[in-house]
Amino acid sequence: MQLYNTLSAEERAQLIDEAGKERLTLSFYAYAKIEDPKKFRDELFIAWNALDALGRIYVAHEGINAQMSVPADQFDAFRDTLEAYDFMKGIRLNVAVEQDNHSFLKLTVKVRNKIVADGLSDDTFDVTNKGIHLKAKEFNTLLEDPNTIVVDFRNHYESEVGHFEGAITPDVENFRESLPVINEQLQDFKEDKNLLMYCTGGIRCEKASAYFKHQGFKNVYQLEGGIIEYTRQIKEEGIESKFIGKNFVFDHRLGERITDDIISQCHQCGKPCDNHTNCANDACHLLFIQCDECKAAMENCCSVECLEITHLPWEEQVKLRKGKEVGNKIFRKGKSESLKFKKSGNLTDAPLAKAVTKDIRRKITVKKVLIGKAEHYYPKSQVAQFLVENNGLSVGNKVLISGPTTGDQEITITDLYVNGNAAQTAMPGDQITFQLPFRTRLSDKLYKIIPPSENA
């Protein structure tokens, strides 16, 4: 009986592409008393693995917290797996605003001490004595009340790209840090102010609202379903969005656009931008904001130092990481002296630019034809292998390598090996290899970029 994921992200992405089915990205949570989290965890994995459901799920004695990707044609069957438990009957599923078939590429269900790390001792207060839940229209109304203080219970890297107008946006790394910081900041407003709180999907506010009521705050409110449900409601009901910018999400997309306002900057050049990148250096993986131009010039790296490391032979990169707490063990959240234009804490509501969707921008600026797909990557020599399926390819051609994990990477072919021999041109059926400064995945596609002169 399979109880753990056995496929790599690359293998899973390839299966998703081959299946050709639409998937839904969604999230949900529930606080409940679970006597045997391990047994509960195993039951969920067996049921969801059979449906090809993927995601990152935490279960604990206090409940469940899940972000998932589910085949659209299995949605009803998936809901049935939840309805099998009394505490999840009729549970709200927050379906993502923007869909991506590759939002999750593994099914990971973990047993934790808590479903959200809050640093609180739940025995010291009544966690069920929560704040008043507000729908989008009610939230907007209270937001406009001059007697209201609105607080963002997310982290600095989330609020930087998008937040509600006038919100307090604490400069914190995690939810655990935010509670005492906000409590101290609002001590003078316990009696006479409306404390209005929000987060991504609502789970952090469930615990935070009870905590602040215990701390003596009289008028505590929370956004029901968080930003995700708020967005669904304003779109369905034609309500004005008081949230500006992009909502950070914890899957491959790293964000979904709520309004076309860009309120943040590329951390490297200062250009208006709200697209997050994970540094390509395996010893770093810093999460930061990077525009397309810096992404191409810096090859997905946060600094010149990291860029230089990614160009070293694989053995040297491994040697540099030896004995250190490296990127695959920690997930650093955008705090580095290399990031000259990083902003957090007291953030602006004023848009710096208007967004153009990535797909539209690429259609306008890049004309390309499919050449083939990745077959292998040799990390020690940083060589990628592709099978040419369509058209031809020559030394000097500019190519785009694109995939759910790799992203979009452009390079120029300077050396080409065809079927094991140095050559200038490759044709359909040929197996080609060439050097790359980044690794590829089996799900990656190889495109030849058509020069503007050939587009006319």
Side-chain angles (χ1 to χ4, degrees), residues 373-378 383-387 431-434 440:
K373 61 183 181 182
E375 288 194 324
H376 203 66
Y377 177 74
Y378 304 91
V383 170
Q385 177 178 296
F386 291 85
L387 176 65
Q431 195 175 63
I432 62 173
T433 56
F434 51 87
T440 60

Side-chain angles (χ1 to χ4, degrees), residues 263-278:
I263 62 173
S264 53
Q265 298 172 280
C266 171
H267 287 165
Q268 293 174 320
C269 72
K271 175 183 175 181
C273 176
D274 54 12
N275 296 323
H276 280 92
T277 294
N278 279 313

Side-chain angles (χ1 to χ4, degrees), residues 6-21:
T6 58
L7 296 177
S8 69
E10 292 84 358
E11 291 169 330
R12 180 70 69 176
Q14 187 173 17
L15 289 177
I16 290 173
D17 289 341
E18 291 172 353
K21 295 182 178 180

Side-chain angles (χ1 to χ4, degrees), residues 283-313:
C284 178
H285 284 312
L286 183 76
L287 182 67
F288 67 107
I289 298 174
Q290 188 177 47
C291 69
D292 290 345
E293 289 78 7
C294 290
K295 189 180 185 73
M298 296 296 292
E299 298 175 14
N300 286 40
C301 291
C302 69
S303 63
V304 173
E305 292 76 15
C306 281
L307 177 61
E308 291 174 348
I309 288 173
T310 62
H311 284 256
L312 293 174

Side-chain angles (χ1 to χ4, degrees), residues 419-437:
N419 301 321
N421 299 310
Q424 293 294 306
T425 302
M427 301 302 291
D430 287 339
Q431 195 175 63
I432 62 173
T433 56
F434 51 87
Q435 285 196 314
L436 288 175

Side-chain angles (χ1 to χ4, degrees), residues 287-402:
L287 182 67
F288 67 107
I289 298 174
Q290 188 177 47
C291 69
D292 290 345
E293 289 78 7
C294 290
K295 189 180 185 73
M298 296 296 292
E299 298 175 14
N300 286 40
C301 291
C302 69
S303 63
V304 173
E305 292 76 15
C306 281
L307 177 61
E308 291 174 348
I309 288 173
T310 62
H311 284 256
L312 293 174
W314 184 252
E315 295 92 336
E316 290 189 35
Q317 293 188 45
V318 172
K319 191 181 297 183
L320 287 173
R321 298 200 300 272
K322 190 173 182 180
K324 294 183 178 180
E325 190 177 28
V326 294
N328 63 348
K329 297 177 184 175
I330 57 174
F331 192 44
R332 299 196 302 164
K333 305 300 196 301
K335 289 294 184 74
S336 168
E337 293 181 358
S338 299
L339 307 180
K340 299 178 181 179
F341 295 92
K342 163 72 181 173
K343 289 184 173 61
S344 57
N346 187 20
L347 301 172
T348 179
D349 291 345
L352 302 177
K354 295 292 183 179
V356 178
T357 63
K358 187 175 182 180
D359 287 344
I360 293 174
R361 181 169 66 248
R362 182 155 293 281
K363 287 177 183 177
I364 294 173
T365 61
V366 176
K367 298 291 184 179
K368 60 185 186 296
V369 294
L370 179 66
I371 298 297
K373 61 183 181 182
E375 288 194 324
H376 203 66
Y377 177 74
Y378 304 91
K380 292 185 178 180
S381 55
Q382 293 186 299
V383 170
Q385 177 178 296
F386 291 85
L387 176 65
V388 179
E389 298 176 335
N390 307 289
N391 302 289
L393 189 68
S394 301
V395 171
N397 285 158
K398 193 171 185 180
V399 298
L400 172 72
I401 298 171
S402 180

